[in-house]
PDB file of all heavy atoms in Angstrom:
ATOM      1  N   PHE B 179     -11.492  12.971  13.873  1.00 84.00           N
ATOM      2  CA  PHE B 179     -11.209  11.721  13.128  1.00 84.00           C
ATOM      3  C   PHE B 179      -9.845  11.147  13.402  1.00 84.00           C
ATOM      4  O   PHE B 179      -9.603   9.979  13.216  1.00 84.00           O
ATOM      5  CB  PHE B 179     -11.430  12.000  11.609  1.00 84.00           C
ATOM      6  CG  PHE B 179     -12.604  12.923  11.368  1.00 84.00           C
ATOM      7  CD1 PHE B 179     -12.449  14.117  10.679  1.00 84.00           C
ATOM      8  CD2 PHE B 179     -13.870  12.593  11.874  1.00 84.00           C
ATOM      9  CE1 PHE B 179     -13.525  14.975  10.486  1.00 84.00           C
ATOM     10  CE2 PHE B 179     -14.937  13.454  11.674  1.00 84.00           C
ATOM     11  CZ  PHE B 179     -14.768  14.638  10.986  1.00 84.00           C
ATOM     12  N   ASN B 180      -8.903  12.031  13.835  1.00 86.00           N
ATOM     13  CA  ASN B 180      -7.559  11.545  14.229  1.00 86.00           C
ATOM     14  C   ASN B 180      -6.862  10.756  13.113  1.00 86.00           C
ATOM     15  O   ASN B 180      -6.148   9.804  13.439  1.00 86.00           O
ATOM     16  CB  ASN B 180      -7.619  10.698  15.517  1.00 86.00           C
ATOM     17  CG  ASN B 180      -7.990  11.525  16.724  1.00 86.00           C
ATOM     18  OD1 ASN B 180      -8.315  12.691  16.596  1.00 86.00           O
ATOM     19  ND2 ASN B 180      -7.928  10.927  17.892  1.00 86.00           N
ATOM     20  N   LEU B 181      -7.106  11.111  11.882  1.00 94.00           N
ATOM     21  CA  LEU B 181      -6.380  10.424  10.776  1.00 94.00           C
ATOM     22  C   LEU B 181      -5.024  11.098  10.619  1.00 94.00           C
ATOM     23  O   LEU B 181      -4.835  12.257  10.977  1.00 94.00           O
ATOM     24  CB  LEU B 181      -7.193  10.543   9.483  1.00 94.00           C
ATOM     25  CG  LEU B 181      -8.570   9.878   9.501  1.00 94.00           C
ATOM     26  CD1 LEU B 181      -9.376  10.254   8.240  1.00 94.00           C
ATOM     27  CD2 LEU B 181      -8.455   8.357   9.612  1.00 94.00           C
ATOM     28  N   PHE B 182      -4.077  10.329  10.097  1.00 94.00           N
ATOM     29  CA  PHE B 182      -2.755  10.915   9.814  1.00 94.00           C
ATOM     30  C   PHE B 182      -2.854  11.778   8.573  1.00 94.00           C
ATOM     31  O   PHE B 182      -3.116  11.266   7.474  1.00 94.00           O
ATOM     32  CB  PHE B 182      -1.707   9.811   9.599  1.00 94.00           C
ATOM     33  CG  PHE B 182      -1.442   9.010  10.847  1.00 94.00           C
ATOM     34  CD1 PHE B 182      -1.795   7.667  10.887  1.00 94.00           C
ATOM     35  CD2 PHE B 182      -0.838   9.590  11.948  1.00 94.00           C
ATOM     36  CE1 PHE B 182      -1.563   6.917  12.068  1.00 94.00           C
ATOM     37  CE2 PHE B 182      -0.616   8.857  13.097  1.00 94.00           C
ATOM     38  CZ  PHE B 182      -0.952   7.520  13.156  1.00 94.00           C
ATOM     39  N   ALA B 183      -2.673  13.085   8.741  1.00 94.00           N
ATOM     40  CA  ALA B 183      -2.948  14.045   7.661  1.00 94.00           C
ATOM     41  C   ALA B 183      -2.041  13.844   6.439  1.00 94.00           C
ATOM     42  O   ALA B 183      -2.448  14.099   5.323  1.00 94.00           O
ATOM     43  CB  ALA B 183      -2.774  15.461   8.192  1.00 94.00           C
ATOM     44  N   HIS B 184      -0.807  13.354   6.689  1.00 96.00           N
ATOM     45  CA  HIS B 184       0.148  13.255   5.593  1.00 96.00           C
ATOM     46  C   HIS B 184       0.139  11.894   4.889  1.00 96.00           C
ATOM     47  O   HIS B 184       0.945  11.635   4.012  1.00 96.00           O
ATOM     48  CB  HIS B 184       1.562  13.542   6.133  1.00 96.00           C
ATOM     49  CG  HIS B 184       1.990  12.568   7.198  1.00 96.00           C
ATOM     50  ND1 HIS B 184       1.398  12.581   8.451  1.00 96.00           N
ATOM     51  CD2 HIS B 184       2.858  11.538   7.186  1.00 96.00           C
ATOM     52  CE1 HIS B 184       1.939  11.597   9.186  1.00 96.00           C
ATOM     53  NE2 HIS B 184       2.815  10.955   8.429  1.00 96.00           N
ATOM     54  N   LYS B 185      -0.755  11.021   5.334  1.00 96.00           N
ATOM     55  CA  LYS B 185      -0.859   9.698   4.700  1.00 96.00           C
ATOM     56  C   LYS B 185      -2.164   9.572   3.924  1.00 96.00           C
ATOM     57  O   LYS B 185      -3.175  10.154   4.348  1.00 96.00           O
ATOM     58  CB  LYS B 185      -0.787   8.593   5.783  1.00 96.00           C
ATOM     59  CG  LYS B 185       0.595   8.485   6.440  1.00 96.00           C
ATOM     60  CD  LYS B 185       0.688   7.206   7.263  1.00 96.00           C
ATOM     61  CE  LYS B 185       2.053   7.082   7.917  1.00 96.00           C
ATOM     62  NZ  LYS B 185       3.114   6.957   6.926  1.00 96.00           N
ATOM     63  N   THR B 186      -2.151   8.785   2.867  1.00 97.00           N
ATOM     64  CA  THR B 186      -3.378   8.598   2.105  1.00 97.00           C
ATOM     65  C   THR B 186      -4.380   7.852   2.951  1.00 97.00           C
ATOM     66  O   THR B 186      -4.066   7.239   3.985  1.00 97.00           O
ATOM     67  CB  THR B 186      -3.131   7.757   0.829  1.00 97.00           C
ATOM     68  OG1 THR B 186      -2.769   6.426   1.219  1.00 97.00           O
ATOM     69  CG2 THR B 186      -2.048   8.388  -0.041  1.00 97.00           C
ATOM     70  N   VAL B 187      -5.620   7.877   2.485  1.00 97.00           N
ATOM     71  CA  VAL B 187      -6.710   7.175   3.155  1.00 97.00           C
ATOM     72  C   VAL B 187      -6.362   5.693   3.299  1.00 97.00           C
ATOM     73  O   VAL B 187      -6.472   5.106   4.408  1.00 97.00           O
ATOM     74  CB  VAL B 187      -8.004   7.357   2.349  1.00 97.00           C
ATOM     75  CG1 VAL B 187      -9.053   6.304   2.712  1.00 97.00           C
ATOM     76  CG2 VAL B 187      -8.561   8.790   2.557  1.00 97.00           C
ATOM     77  N   LEU B 188      -5.880   5.041   2.233  1.00 97.00           N
ATOM     78  CA  LEU B 188      -5.552   3.616   2.302  1.00 97.00           C
ATOM     79  C   LEU B 188      -4.388   3.383   3.271  1.00 97.00           C
ATOM     80  O   LEU B 188      -4.425   2.422   4.044  1.00 97.00           O
ATOM     81  CB  LEU B 188      -5.223   3.092   0.906  1.00 97.00           C
ATOM     82  CG  LEU B 188      -4.926   1.563   0.859  1.00 97.00           C
ATOM     83  CD1 LEU B 188      -6.095   0.748   1.398  1.00 97.00           C
ATOM     84  CD2 LEU B 188      -4.613   1.121  -0.580  1.00 97.00           C
ATOM     85  N   ASP B 189      -3.390   4.242   3.245  1.00 97.00           N
ATOM     86  CA  ASP B 189      -2.269   4.089   4.180  1.00 97.00           C
ATOM     87  C   ASP B 189      -2.717   4.222   5.629  1.00 97.00           C
ATOM     88  O   ASP B 189      -2.203   3.537   6.523  1.00 97.00           O
ATOM     89  CB  ASP B 189      -1.154   5.110   3.883  1.00 97.00           C
ATOM     90  CG  ASP B 189      -0.350   4.718   2.648  1.00 97.00           C
ATOM     91  OD1 ASP B 189      -0.433   3.571   2.216  1.00 97.00           O
ATOM     92  OD2 ASP B 189       0.327   5.607   2.080  1.00 97.00           O
ATOM     93  N   ASN B 190      -3.667   5.115   5.889  1.00 97.00           N
ATOM     94  CA  ASN B 190      -4.230   5.249   7.230  1.00 97.00           C
ATOM     95  C   ASN B 190      -4.840   3.934   7.704  1.00 97.00           C
ATOM     96  O   ASN B 190      -4.699   3.572   8.856  1.00 97.00           O
ATOM     97  CB  ASN B 190      -5.324   6.347   7.270  1.00 97.00           C
ATOM     98  CG  ASN B 190      -4.783   7.694   7.689  1.00 97.00           C
ATOM     99  OD1 ASN B 190      -4.565   7.947   8.880  1.00 97.00           O
ATOM    100  ND2 ASN B 190      -4.541   8.575   6.728  1.00 97.00           N
ATOM    101  N   VAL B 191      -5.497   3.263   6.790  1.00 97.00           N
ATOM    102  CA  VAL B 191      -6.215   2.024   7.153  1.00 97.00           C
ATOM    103  C   VAL B 191      -5.253   0.833   7.291  1.00 97.00           C
ATOM    104  O   VAL B 191      -5.468  -0.054   8.119  1.00 97.00           O
ATOM    105  CB  VAL B 191      -7.325   1.716   6.106  1.00 97.00           C
ATOM    106  CG1 VAL B 191      -7.964   0.370   6.351  1.00 97.00           C
ATOM    107  CG2 VAL B 191      -8.399   2.814   6.155  1.00 97.00           C
ATOM    108  N   THR B 192      -4.163   0.828   6.526  1.00 97.00           N
ATOM    109  CA  THR B 192      -3.277  -0.327   6.517  1.00 97.00           C
ATOM    110  C   THR B 192      -2.122  -0.241   7.536  1.00 97.00           C
ATOM    111  O   THR B 192      -1.485  -1.234   7.843  1.00 97.00           O
ATOM    112  CB  THR B 192      -2.640  -0.551   5.105  1.00 97.00           C
ATOM    113  OG1 THR B 192      -1.938   0.637   4.747  1.00 97.00           O
ATOM    114  CG2 THR B 192      -3.702  -0.869   4.092  1.00 97.00           C
ATOM    115  N   LEU B 193      -1.877   0.950   8.065  1.00 95.00           N
ATOM    116  CA  LEU B 193      -0.726   1.127   8.932  1.00 95.00           C
ATOM    117  C   LEU B 193      -0.734   0.211  10.149  1.00 95.00           C
ATOM    118  O   LEU B 193       0.242  -0.467  10.461  1.00 95.00           O
ATOM    119  CB  LEU B 193      -0.707   2.611   9.420  1.00 95.00           C
ATOM    120  CG  LEU B 193       0.591   3.035  10.116  1.00 95.00           C
ATOM    121  CD1 LEU B 193       1.758   3.033   9.150  1.00 95.00           C
ATOM    122  CD2 LEU B 193       0.425   4.440  10.702  1.00 95.00           C
ATOM    123  N   GLY B 194      -1.901   0.170  10.859  1.00 91.00           N
ATOM    124  CA  GLY B 194      -1.992  -0.666  12.065  1.00 91.00           C
ATOM    125  C   GLY B 194      -1.801  -2.133  11.772  1.00 91.00           C
ATOM    126  O   GLY B 194      -0.959  -2.799  12.425  1.00 91.00           O
ATOM    127  N   PRO B 195      -2.541  -2.698  10.789  1.00 93.00           N
ATOM    128  CA  PRO B 195      -2.374  -4.124  10.517  1.00 93.00           C
ATOM    129  C   PRO B 195      -0.929  -4.510  10.143  1.00 93.00           C
ATOM    130  O   PRO B 195      -0.439  -5.559  10.525  1.00 93.00           O
ATOM    131  CB  PRO B 195      -3.305  -4.352   9.324  1.00 93.00           C
ATOM    132  CG  PRO B 195      -4.369  -3.309   9.508  1.00 93.00           C
ATOM    133  CD  PRO B 195      -3.673  -2.120  10.083  1.00 93.00           C
ATOM    134  N   ILE B 196      -0.244  -3.607   9.414  1.00 94.00           N
ATOM    135  CA  ILE B 196       1.142  -3.919   9.034  1.00 94.00           C
ATOM    136  C   ILE B 196       2.084  -3.829  10.230  1.00 94.00           C
ATOM    137  O   ILE B 196       2.836  -4.732  10.527  1.00 94.00           O
ATOM    138  CB  ILE B 196       1.611  -2.952   7.866  1.00 94.00           C
ATOM    139  CG1 ILE B 196       0.826  -3.237   6.600  1.00 94.00           C
ATOM    140  CG2 ILE B 196       3.098  -3.100   7.631  1.00 94.00           C
ATOM    141  CD1 ILE B 196       1.015  -2.176   5.491  1.00 94.00           C
ATOM    142  N   LYS B 197       1.972  -2.700  10.976  1.00 91.00           N
ATOM    143  CA  LYS B 197       2.914  -2.440  12.054  1.00 91.00           C
ATOM    144  C   LYS B 197       2.624  -3.271  13.298  1.00 91.00           C
ATOM    145  O   LYS B 197       3.539  -3.758  13.958  1.00 91.00           O
ATOM    146  CB  LYS B 197       2.877  -0.961  12.459  1.00 91.00           C
ATOM    147  CG  LYS B 197       3.399  -0.001  11.365  1.00 91.00           C
ATOM    148  CD  LYS B 197       4.842   0.378  11.673  1.00 91.00           C
ATOM    149  CE  LYS B 197       5.297   1.511  10.793  1.00 91.00           C
ATOM    150  NZ  LYS B 197       6.321   1.129   9.830  1.00 91.00           N
ATOM    151  N   VAL B 198       1.351  -3.381  13.662  1.00 87.00           N
ATOM    152  CA  VAL B 198       0.987  -4.032  14.927  1.00 87.00           C
ATOM    153  C   VAL B 198       0.691  -5.496  14.751  1.00 87.00           C
ATOM    154  O   VAL B 198       1.140  -6.347  15.519  1.00 87.00           O
ATOM    155  CB  VAL B 198      -0.213  -3.314  15.581  1.00 87.00           C
ATOM    156  CG1 VAL B 198      -0.570  -3.976  16.917  1.00 87.00           C
ATOM    157  CG2 VAL B 198       0.096  -1.829  15.798  1.00 87.00           C
ATOM    158  N   ARG B 199      -0.076  -5.841  13.713  1.00 87.00           N
ATOM    159  CA  ARG B 199      -0.466  -7.243  13.497  1.00 87.00           C
ATOM    160  C   ARG B 199       0.529  -7.999  12.610  1.00 87.00           C
ATOM    161  O   ARG B 199       0.409  -9.200  12.458  1.00 87.00           O
ATOM    162  CB  ARG B 199      -1.850  -7.318  12.839  1.00 87.00           C
ATOM    163  CG  ARG B 199      -2.990  -6.735  13.706  1.00 87.00           C
ATOM    164  CD  ARG B 199      -3.642  -7.795  14.515  1.00 87.00           C
ATOM    165  NE  ARG B 199      -4.917  -7.368  15.093  1.00 87.00           N
ATOM    166  CZ  ARG B 199      -5.226  -7.599  16.385  1.00 87.00           C
ATOM    167  NH1 ARG B 199      -4.341  -8.159  17.176  1.00 87.00           N
ATOM    168  NH2 ARG B 199      -6.391  -7.228  16.855  1.00 87.00           N
ATOM    169  N   GLY B 200       1.475  -7.260  11.988  1.00 92.00           N
ATOM    170  CA  GLY B 200       2.473  -7.931  11.150  1.00 92.00           C
ATOM    171  C   GLY B 200       1.938  -8.483   9.849  1.00 92.00           C
ATOM    172  O   GLY B 200       2.486  -9.455   9.270  1.00 92.00           O
ATOM    173  N   LEU B 201       0.886  -7.863   9.343  1.00 93.00           N
ATOM    174  CA  LEU B 201       0.273  -8.331   8.095  1.00 93.00           C
ATOM    175  C   LEU B 201       1.144  -7.948   6.896  1.00 93.00           C
ATOM    176  O   LEU B 201       1.664  -6.837   6.865  1.00 93.00           O
ATOM    177  CB  LEU B 201      -1.101  -7.678   7.943  1.00 93.00           C
ATOM    178  CG  LEU B 201      -2.249  -8.468   7.315  1.00 93.00           C
ATOM    179  CD1 LEU B 201      -2.537  -9.730   8.101  1.00 93.00           C
ATOM    180  CD2 LEU B 201      -3.501  -7.597   7.214  1.00 93.00           C
ATOM    181  N   PRO B 202       1.330  -8.851   5.912  1.00 96.00           N
ATOM    182  CA  PRO B 202       2.061  -8.472   4.723  1.00 96.00           C
ATOM    183  C   PRO B 202       1.369  -7.301   4.028  1.00 96.00           C
ATOM    184  O   PRO B 202       0.144  -7.199   4.042  1.00 96.00           O
ATOM    185  CB  PRO B 202       2.004  -9.724   3.829  1.00 96.00           C
ATOM    186  CG  PRO B 202       1.631 -10.834   4.741  1.00 96.00           C
ATOM    187  CD  PRO B 202       0.850 -10.249   5.859  1.00 96.00           C
ATOM    188  N   LYS B 203       2.167  -6.407   3.440  1.00 96.00           N
ATOM    189  CA  LYS B 203       1.638  -5.156   2.872  1.00 96.00           C
ATOM    190  C   LYS B 203       0.533  -5.410   1.841  1.00 96.00           C
ATOM    191  O   LYS B 203      -0.504  -4.773   1.838  1.00 96.00           O
ATOM    192  CB  LYS B 203       2.766  -4.345   2.248  1.00 96.00           C
ATOM    193  CG  LYS B 203       2.369  -2.931   1.945  1.00 96.00           C
ATOM    194  CD  LYS B 203       3.539  -2.070   1.563  1.00 96.00           C
ATOM    195  CE  LYS B 203       3.064  -0.660   1.239  1.00 96.00           C
ATOM    196  NZ  LYS B 203       4.110   0.224   0.771  1.00 96.00           N
ATOM    197  N   ALA B 204       0.793  -6.388   0.940  1.00 96.00           N
ATOM    198  CA  ALA B 204      -0.189  -6.658  -0.109  1.00 96.00           C
ATOM    199  C   ALA B 204      -1.543  -7.091   0.477  1.00 96.00           C
ATOM    200  O   ALA B 204      -2.599  -6.638   0.049  1.00 96.00           O
ATOM    201  CB  ALA B 204       0.327  -7.717  -1.072  1.00 96.00           C
ATOM    202  N   GLN B 205      -1.470  -7.949   1.483  1.00 96.00           N
ATOM    203  CA  GLN B 205      -2.694  -8.428   2.118  1.00 96.00           C
ATOM    204  C   GLN B 205      -3.404  -7.290   2.845  1.00 96.00           C
ATOM    205  O   GLN B 205      -4.635  -7.155   2.787  1.00 96.00           O
ATOM    206  CB  GLN B 205      -2.379  -9.535   3.094  1.00 96.00           C
ATOM    207  CG  GLN B 205      -3.614 -10.250   3.668  1.00 96.00           C
ATOM    208  CD  GLN B 205      -3.272 -11.283   4.717  1.00 96.00           C
ATOM    209  OE1 GLN B 205      -2.125 -11.732   4.811  1.00 96.00           O
ATOM    210  NE2 GLN B 205      -4.282 -11.676   5.509  1.00 96.00           N
ATOM    211  N   ALA B 206      -2.599  -6.442   3.517  1.00 96.00           N
ATOM    212  CA  ALA B 206      -3.187  -5.315   4.253  1.00 96.00           C
ATOM    213  C   ALA B 206      -3.908  -4.371   3.303  1.00 96.00           C
ATOM    214  O   ALA B 206      -4.989  -3.861   3.597  1.00 96.00           O
ATOM    215  CB  ALA B 206      -2.096  -4.582   5.030  1.00 96.00           C
ATOM    216  N   ARG B 207      -3.313  -4.142   2.127  1.00 97.00           N
ATOM    217  CA  ARG B 207      -3.914  -3.225   1.147  1.00 97.00           C
ATOM    218  C   ARG B 207      -5.204  -3.849   0.585  1.00 97.00           C
ATOM    219  O   ARG B 207      -6.219  -3.156   0.419  1.00 97.00           O
ATOM    220  CB  ARG B 207      -2.922  -2.905   0.028  1.00 97.00           C
ATOM    221  CG  ARG B 207      -1.793  -2.016   0.500  1.00 97.00           C
ATOM    222  CD  ARG B 207      -0.802  -1.713  -0.615  1.00 97.00           C
ATOM    223  NE  ARG B 207      -1.325  -0.746  -1.580  1.00 97.00           N
ATOM    224  CZ  ARG B 207      -1.284   0.565  -1.396  1.00 97.00           C
ATOM    225  NH1 ARG B 207      -0.754   1.086  -0.306  1.00 97.00           N
ATOM    226  NH2 ARG B 207      -1.765   1.367  -2.346  1.00 97.00           N
ATOM    227  N   GLU B 208      -5.167  -5.122   0.342  1.00 97.00           N
ATOM    228  CA  GLU B 208      -6.364  -5.802  -0.200  1.00 97.00           C
ATOM    229  C   GLU B 208      -7.502  -5.732   0.826  1.00 97.00           C
ATOM    230  O   GLU B 208      -8.631  -5.398   0.476  1.00 97.00           O
ATOM    231  CB  GLU B 208      -6.021  -7.273  -0.494  1.00 97.00           C
ATOM    232  CG  GLU B 208      -7.101  -8.022  -1.238  1.00 97.00           C
ATOM    233  CD  GLU B 208      -6.706  -9.482  -1.476  1.00 97.00           C
ATOM    234  OE1 GLU B 208      -5.538  -9.744  -1.799  1.00 97.00           O
ATOM    235  OE2 GLU B 208      -7.600 -10.339  -1.396  1.00 97.00           O
ATOM    236  N   GLU B 209      -7.161  -6.051   2.109  1.00 96.00           N
ATOM    237  CA  GLU B 209      -8.203  -5.996   3.137  1.00 96.00           C
ATOM    238  C   GLU B 209      -8.665  -4.552   3.377  1.00 96.00           C
ATOM    239  O   GLU B 209      -9.833  -4.288   3.631  1.00 96.00           O
ATOM    240  CB  GLU B 209      -7.675  -6.608   4.435  1.00 96.00           C
ATOM    241  CG  GLU B 209      -7.487  -8.115   4.323  1.00 96.00           C
ATOM    242  CD  GLU B 209      -6.989  -8.754   5.615  1.00 96.00           C
ATOM    243  OE1 GLU B 209      -6.935  -8.054   6.662  1.00 96.00           O
ATOM    244  OE2 GLU B 209      -6.651  -9.944   5.590  1.00 96.00           O
ATOM    245  N   GLY B 210      -7.704  -3.614   3.286  1.00 97.00           N
ATOM    246  CA  GLY B 210      -8.006  -2.201   3.490  1.00 97.00           C
ATOM    247  C   GLY B 210      -8.985  -1.699   2.425  1.00 97.00           C
ATOM    248  O   GLY B 210      -9.933  -0.974   2.755  1.00 97.00           O
ATOM    249  N   MET B 211      -8.749  -2.065   1.171  1.00 97.00           N
ATOM    250  CA  MET B 211      -9.666  -1.663   0.091  1.00 97.00           C
ATOM    251  C   MET B 211     -11.064  -2.239   0.324  1.00 97.00           C
ATOM    252  O   MET B 211     -12.086  -1.557   0.090  1.00 97.00           O
ATOM    253  CB  MET B 211      -9.113  -2.085  -1.269  1.00 97.00           C
ATOM    254  CG  MET B 211      -8.012  -1.200  -1.819  1.00 97.00           C
ATOM    255  SD  MET B 211      -8.418   0.568  -1.926  1.00 97.00           S
ATOM    256  CE  MET B 211      -9.744   0.553  -3.147  1.00 97.00           C
TER     257      MET B 211
END
């Protein structure tokens, strides 16, 4: 699965959009959920 073991499920999903796509954190979390 290659998930980051030390990050929550939601953080795993939002990391890329925030870091790579530059999505605002709140929007990334909303889309992630």
Side-chain angles (χ1 to χ4, degrees):
F179 322 122
N180 291 7
L181 298 170
F182 295 113
H184 61 289
K185 292 192 178 297
T186 66
V187 162
L188 183 57
D189 285 343
N190 265 283
V191 173
T192 58
L193 191 67
I196 293 169
K197 293 262 192 248
V198 181
R199 297 266 193 228
L201 216 60
K203 192 170 180 184
Q205 187 184 344
R207 289 178 75 83
E208 188 180 323
E209 290 182 9
M211 281 306 294

